[in-house]
Amino acid sequence: GGPCSVEGKEQICEIAEEVKQAGGCMLRGGAYKPRTSPYAFQGLGTEGILDMVEARKRTGLPIVSEIMSADKIDEFVEYVDLIQVGARNMQNFDLLKALGKINKPILLKRGLSNTIEEWIMSAEYIMANGNPNVILCERGIRTFESYTRNTLDLQAIPVIKRLTHLPIIIDPSHAGGKWWLVEPMAKAAVAAGCDGLMIEVHNDPEHALCDGPQSLKPKKYTELLRQVKGIGEIVGKHVQ
Ligand code: PEP
Ligand code: MN
């Protein structure tokens, strides 16, 4: 859990404490943001990464953040525990090859309009270059439906389980684009056998610099984790 974007040291540290208290096992936060508009907030860059490092120091939570280009690999190797490749970079093959040459785990999000086969091949780019530590993340795909931001492909969970040995987590926040869709979809994803959830959490979603409408407040996030724990037990998954 964590905000879409790191907005400053106090913001990320405050949310990190909430995520930790709720029982979250990792802190997310974007420092390099792939925004549709070049005029939208682009992230704090290195400063944002260092703010996350401070949040890790205060809470003990490992951190996950998105890398957008290979020239930042040294920075990510030094500071970030799990390196995220965003949906828009799923087929940035040079980036994938470069990430195959390091030994940090990679969180590979599914592209907006990519098939499961293409997604698996992108994971292969990382693994074939020497890094076997890949986690897949389904975050909704583009369909004709426009009421929701994307359409969450829950079928990807059993398909990935059948075709690969890789863990798959679900990001219901970017899938639905609305905070009230996060809870039902997260619960369905755990019931369907996913290995984890990535959820956007913000202490002041109304004023968030990015993705406020799909962010949960800490109280809702806490309640969600309590519920998925119960569902996890029913389907034989230990929820950390
Ligand atoms: C994110 O997780 O911050 C993000 C930008 O997601 P996606 O790449 O799935 O759009
Ligand atoms: Mn986001």
Side-chain angles (χ1 to χ4, degrees), residues 96-107:
L96 300 176
K97 283 181 195 167
L99 292 172
K101 300 202 162 65
I102 62 174
N103 59 14
K104 284 266 167 138
I106 309 298
L107 181 64

Side-chain angles (χ1 to χ4, degrees), residues 4 28 33 174 200 211 214:
C4 181
R28 67 147 284 145
K33 296 303 302 177
H174 291 90
E200 286 188 339
D211 288 349
Q214 67 194 34

